[in-house]
């Protein structure tokens, strides 16, 4: 977190038309940082914060943006992804927002980024110490599906009354024969709080466990912040006879040939043609560029798909 | 736990009461609520609380079942390890723990006691999962066993209770409560909204479960026939006060208090 | 001889609060004992308090003054002041009551109704069932009725079910309220045999018998209620 160093220089930062560095005023950032410190100190606990109106609608990542704004400094390198891709509208808009308001360098390379804001994915490339992953969260409360009352869910967290979480998994097995929850799969953090990991695929759940990176979660509409500090246990809930499993595919990535990444299915024509490609565009490109990994699909076809 | 056993007045008996109630009072207004209620409940004993609407039965039941703090008085529970607990002196999480494991509450309206949007099997399994059961097949077997015990077709295990009849819902609620083998069960008008024919089946079922599991039960009802069938002892309430208590058939066949006499003589014979 | 029933200065008054508070005394200072193996018949006109006395002995009616000691030795308790659960235990272990009318529980089969007192004494299901079948057979209840609830039975059939229920547990104290009222001669004879056997087993019996023949067959003495 290089932010503190830059508070002093923020007035001279590249902010246009009199905006403060990273859009938010320093008092707001301070409030957010206090909430973040508390969230880091109590892993998985949802800390309320005074969410601000941001120049984009709720549901577009207002929580994540406020968290990023609170931790970013001028020598940070920012990466923004949406569903794994750097080039989707949401990712492009947010990246441009921070370039305009902070002047930071941006990258699409996971390993070069110091702050990564994400919606719905964790990058395939393993994160390292010193990196910060900021998640955009729509519904932070994992107990909400069964308990509409906020006072009651807070009490349930406080008293660790988590039996109902397994009711949900039980229902999955009863109706589908397996745990059908595929995203926002509930986890227990540091053996204490049950947490909604935001709508990442359960494929990504194991990456949270003992991750060397700092993971911050921001829910803008619900005005909640929570965190998983580096090297923290993150355990996906399951049954003894139905253990937690991640998705797998019969296919390899049609572009880079990867067999161990999260694949998106892309319909290519009206005749039922389809491709499977990595959802993480940076990971896919890096593999293609690297020596020895040749595209399985023809370059022409790839070009067709991506254009 | 907080209260040494010897300070509590007891009848000379080998068995300790599972619940000791002393001067329990919860008043919303004068004569509204329950006032100065004391009794002991022993293992396997079924206590009926009768009285007209507004007499304080439900308030008393809520207070007894650790869901409504009394203004004053003591509620002592002897757990299976023979530890005496002053229920309202316990931290809240211990009280809630009791309600999930050692105790059961059967509500008058099944929708208050069931999760209507999850399957019957999950409704039965929830208390087991809450106390740490993490084996799906075992949970399922327990669910099937309990459906059978409460006479619900085992095929219905994956159906939501919203598709059940009122009588089935009530039986499911009972199964959901009894699955952890509670020692103490509180029931609020369990046959209240049911047809007479459905009532009979439920009563018979309850009577057998209570006997087989040696449950201690406090049951609130305004139906004297239900009280006669299920309870060993009766407590008659009026305007928040217990006006008479004793052996069920003695209270019903030889009522002493003017109000009890009125209550008993007001029942229409079919 | 041990007195299984020891009634001392029993007084029973009814007060009808909702009918002008009128009060009348039905039993006035009654005292008597019944020994093990003895059958005593209550004698008196209708309204003389025979049923009230029976119900008081079963703790169905509340006793206001006097004492009713039931049982022997350490088991002896005064039901005038006993706790409900002690009375219930006494009813399971010591004292049986055959009333004139059967209180039917919906859906419970005749066999289960009859064996229940034995089950309550702690006897296993198999054994209790066998005993119940034997007794029902003896009282001429056809086997096809055993699995049915007695609610639809005739008065005489219900009374025999009630008698079977009363005698099955071989309790040391029996209260019989007109046990032969609606029975034919053959079944009346079975009941007389049952009473005689119970006496031989050492039961103390108090009964109300309208039938003079039955009374003279089973009763060792009379208690005059008039």
């Amino acid at each position: 977190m290089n932010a503190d160093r830059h508070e002093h220089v923020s007035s001279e930062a590249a902010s246009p038309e009199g905006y403060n560095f990273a859009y938010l005023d320093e008092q707001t950032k301070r409030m957010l940082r206090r909430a973040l410190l508390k969230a880091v100190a109590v892993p998985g606990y949802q800390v309320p914060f005074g969410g601000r109106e941001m120049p984009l609608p709720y549901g577009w990542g207002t929580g994540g943006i406020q968290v990023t704004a609170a931790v970013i400094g001028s020598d940070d390198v920012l990466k923004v992804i949406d569903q794994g891709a750097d080039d989707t509208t949401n990712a492009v808009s947010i990246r441009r927002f921070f370039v305009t308001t902070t002047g930071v360098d941006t990258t699409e390379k996971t390993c070069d980024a110091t702050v990564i804001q994400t919606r719905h994915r964790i990058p395939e490339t393993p994160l390292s110490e010193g990196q910060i992953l900021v998640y955009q969260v729509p519904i932070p409360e994992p107990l909400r599906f069964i308990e509409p009352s906020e006072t009651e869910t807070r009490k349930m967290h406080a008293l660790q009354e988590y039996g109902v979480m397994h009711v949900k998994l039980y229902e999955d097995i009863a109706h589908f024969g397996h745990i059908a929850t595929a995203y926002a799969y509930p986890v227990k953090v540091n053996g204490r709080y049950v947490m909604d990991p935001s709508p990442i695929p359960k494929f990504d759940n194991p990456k949270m466990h003992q991750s060397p990176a700092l993971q911050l979660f921001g829910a803008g509409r619900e005005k909640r912040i929570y965190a998983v500090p580096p090297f923290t246990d993150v355990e996906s809930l399951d049954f003894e006879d139905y253990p937690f499993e991640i998705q797998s595919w019969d296919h390899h990535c049609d572009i880079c040939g990867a067999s161990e990444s999260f694949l998106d299915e892309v319909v290519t024509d009206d005749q039922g043609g389809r491709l499977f490609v990595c959802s993480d565009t940076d990971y896919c490109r890096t593999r293609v560029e690297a020596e020895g990994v040749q595209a399985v699909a023809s370059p022409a076809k790839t070009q067709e798909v991506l254009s | 736990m907080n209260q040494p056993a010897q300070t509590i007045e007891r009848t000379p008996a080998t068995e300790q009461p599972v619940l000791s109630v002393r001067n329990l009072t919860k008043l919303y207004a004068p004569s509204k609520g329950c006032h100065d209620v004391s009794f002991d409940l022993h293992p396997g004993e079924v206590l009926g609380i009768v009285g007209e609407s507004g007499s304080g039965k439900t308030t008393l039941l809520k207070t007894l079942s650790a869901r409504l703090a009394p203004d004053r008085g003591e509620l002592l529970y002897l757990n299976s390890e023979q530890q005496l607990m002053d229920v309202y002196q316990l931290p809240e999480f211990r009280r809630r723990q009791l309600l999930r494991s050692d105790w059961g509450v059967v509500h008058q309206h099944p929708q208050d006691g069931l999760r209507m949007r999850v399957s019957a099997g999950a409704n039965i399994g929830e208390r087991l999962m809450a106390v740490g059961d993490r084996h799906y097949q075992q949970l399922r077997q327990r669910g099937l066993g309990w459906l059978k015990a409460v006479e619900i077709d085992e095929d219905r295990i994956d159906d939501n209770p919203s598709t059940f009849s009122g009588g089935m819902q009530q039986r499911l609620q009972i199964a959901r409560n009894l699955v952890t083998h509670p020692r103490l069960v509180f029931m609020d008008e369990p046959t209240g909204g049911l047809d007479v024919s459905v009532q009979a089946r439920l009563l018979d079922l309850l009577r057998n479960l209570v006997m087989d599991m040696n449950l201690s039960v406090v049951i609130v009802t305004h139906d004297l026939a239900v009280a006669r069938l299920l309870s060993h002892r009766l407590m008659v309430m009026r305007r928040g006060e217990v006006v008479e208590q004793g052996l069920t058939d003695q209270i019903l066949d030889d009522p002493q208090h003017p109000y009890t006499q009125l209550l008993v003589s007001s029942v229409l014979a079919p | 001889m041990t007195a299984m029933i020891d009634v001392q200065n029993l007084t029973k008054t009814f007060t009808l609060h909702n009918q002008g508070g009128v009060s009348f005394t039905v039993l006035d200072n009654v005292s008597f004992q019944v020994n093990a193996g003895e059958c005593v018949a209550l004698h008196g006109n209708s309204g003389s308090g025979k049923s009230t006395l029976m119900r008081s002995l079963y703790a169905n009616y509340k006793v206001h003054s006097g004492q009713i000691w039931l049982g022997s030795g350490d088991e002896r308790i005064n039901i005038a002041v006993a706790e409900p659960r002690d009375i219930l235990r006494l009813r399971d272990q010591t004292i049986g009551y055959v009333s004139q009318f059967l209180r039917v529980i919906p859906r419970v089969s005749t066999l289960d109704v009859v064996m229940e007192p034995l089950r309550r004494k702690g006897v296993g299901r198999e054994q209790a069932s066998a005993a119940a079948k034997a007794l029902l057979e003896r009282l001429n209840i056809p086997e096809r009725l055993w699995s049915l609830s007695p609610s639809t039975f005739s008065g005489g059939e219900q009374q025999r079910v009630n008698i079977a229920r009363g005698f099955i547990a071989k309790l040391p104290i029996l209260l019989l309220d007109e046990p032969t009222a609606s029975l034919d001669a053959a079944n009346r004879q079975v009941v007389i045999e049952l009473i005689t056997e119970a006496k031989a087993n050492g039961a103390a019996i108090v009964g109300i018998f309208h039938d003079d023949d039955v009374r003279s067959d089973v009763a060792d003495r009379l208690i005059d209620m008039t």
Side-chain angles (χ1 to χ4, degrees), chain A residues 277-290:
Chain A
V277 295
C278 291
S279 114
D280 185 336
T281 52
D282 168 59
Y283 176 76
C284 196
R285 188 182 321 104
T286 309
R287 279 175 53 86
V288 170
E289 284 165 5

Side-chain angles (χ1 to χ4, degrees), chain B residues 241-256:
Chain B
E241 308 269 350
V242 175
V243 295
E244 187 168 356
Q245 59 175 320
L247 199 62
T248 297
D249 59 272
Q250 199 176 79
I251 299 278
L252 295 177
D253 295 338
D254 186 19
Q256 304 297 311

Side-chain angles (χ1 to χ4, degrees), chain A:
Chain A
M1 279 197 259
N2 302 321
D4 287 344
R5 242 186 300 143
H6 288 282
E7 266 181 37
H8 310 291
V9 297
S10 59
S11 55
E12 54 179 283
S15 320
E17 297 107 42
Y19 278 104
N20 194 30
F21 180 81
Y23 186 76
L24 294 174
D25 63 273
E26 294 307 313
Q27 282 304 321
T28 298
K29 285 195 251 180
R30 200 166 285 175
M31 173 270 294
L32 278 159
R33 287 173 199 145
R34 274 198 291 266
L36 285 167
L37 283 174
K38 181 166 177 182
V40 169
V42 192
Y45 172 72
Q46 300 165 48
V47 184
F49 74 101
R52 297 293 190 254
E53 284 301 316
M54 297 304 284
L56 76 169
Y58 287 128
W60 286 53
T62 51
I65 290 174
Q66 290 180 78
V67 170
T68 300
V71 298
I72 200 165
S74 61
D75 54 3
D76 270 318
V77 179
L78 178 69
K79 172 182 165 75
V80 183
I81 50 172
D82 174 8
Q83 306 266 24
D86 292 89
D87 51 6
T88 51
T89 316
N90 197 233
V92 170
S93 307
I94 292 171
R95 190 183 316 118
R96 192 179 298 154
F97 172 81
F98 279 112
V99 168
T100 310
T101 57
T102 65
V104 296
D105 291 336
T106 62
T107 182
E108 297 193 357
K109 289 196 179 307
T110 300
C111 53
D112 291 346
T114 55
V115 177
I116 304 171
Q117 179 167 335
T118 178
R119 172 175 177 267
H120 297 195
R121 276 310 308 276
I122 297 175
E124 305 288 1
T125 310
L127 301 176
S128 53
E129 245 173 285
Q131 288 185 304
I132 299 175
L133 187 59
V134 178
Y135 296 76
Q136 301 170 198
V137 180
I139 300 167
E141 180 50 73
L143 297 164
R144 184 65 71 230
F145 76 100
I146 209 143
E147 180 51 66
S149 154
E150 174 71 15
T151 41
E152 185 62 19
T153 53
R154 301 212 122 217
K155 195 168 274 181
M156 289 162 85
H157 280 295
L159 305 181
Q160 279 188 281
E161 291 179 359
Y162 290 136
V164 291
M165 291 311 301
H166 279 84
V167 169
K168 191 182 182 186
L169 303 180
Y170 174 99
E171 285 292 89
D172 269 7
I173 302 172
H175 293 299
F176 306 110
H178 63 275
I179 298 179
T181 300
Y183 63 92
Y185 191 106
V187 294
K188 187 173 249 188
V189 180
N190 200 27
R192 175 60 180 83
Y193 281 94
V194 165
M195 183 186 93
D196 185 321
S198 87
I200 58 170
K202 64 178 174 182
F203 180 88
D204 288 341
N205 272 21
K207 296 176 189 163
M208 292 192 286
H209 178 64
Q210 287 292 331
S211 169
L214 170 63
Q215 305 174 72
L216 305 176
F217 298 77
R221 184 171 16 220
E222 307 268 337
K223 298 173 177 53
R224 293 285 184 278
I225 282 172
Y226 50 102
V228 177
F231 304 108
T232 301
D233 285 341
V234 178
E235 172 201 358
S236 302
L237 305 182
D238 61 3
F239 285 104
E240 286 162 21
D241 48 344
Y242 284 82
F244 173 77
E245 279 174 351
I246 60 174
Q247 294 101 325
S248 62
W249 289 263
D250 297 334
H251 299 266
H252 295 249
C253 172
D254 284 317
I255 295 172
C256 73
S259 57
E260 285 165 0
S261 76
F262 188 83
L263 298 182
D264 284 339
E265 189 177 351
V266 185
V267 176
T268 55
D269 53 36
D270 292 341
Q271 275 72 53
R274 57 198 58 209
L275 277 179
F276 287 87
V277 295
C278 291
S279 114
D280 185 336
T281 52
D282 168 59
Y283 176 76
C284 196
R285 188 182 321 104
T286 309
R287 279 175 53 86
V288 170
E289 284 165 5
E291 199 76 37
V293 180
Q294 279 310 313
V296 174
S298 69
K301 200 174 178 188
T302 307
Q303 210 51 49
E304 212 173 278
V305 170
L306 295 179
S307 58

Side-chain angles (χ1 to χ4, degrees), chain B residues 161-178:
Chain B
S162 52
T163 66
F164 287 9
S165 69
M168 285 165 76
Q169 289 179 356
Q170 203 55 294
R171 279 176 282 147
L172 181 64
Q173 197 193 172
I174 287 162
R176 175 180 155 91
N177 272 284
L178 297 189

Side-chain angles (χ1 to χ4, degrees), chain B residues 12-60:
Chain B
T14 48
E15 255 173 355
Q16 300 272 299
V18 63
L19 196 69
S20 292
V21 181
R22 292 293 173 271
N23 309 106
L24 211 59
T25 299
K26 171 71 198 175
L27 288 174
Y28 298 103
S31 304
K32 280 288 159 210
C34 58
H35 182 238
D36 223 9
V37 177
S38 300
F39 66 89
D40 283 337
L41 188 72
H42 289 83
E45 234 182 348
V46 181
L47 171 70
I49 303 176
V50 297
E52 62 197 359
S53 302
S55 57
K57 306 187 295 279
T58 298
T59 300
L60 176 59

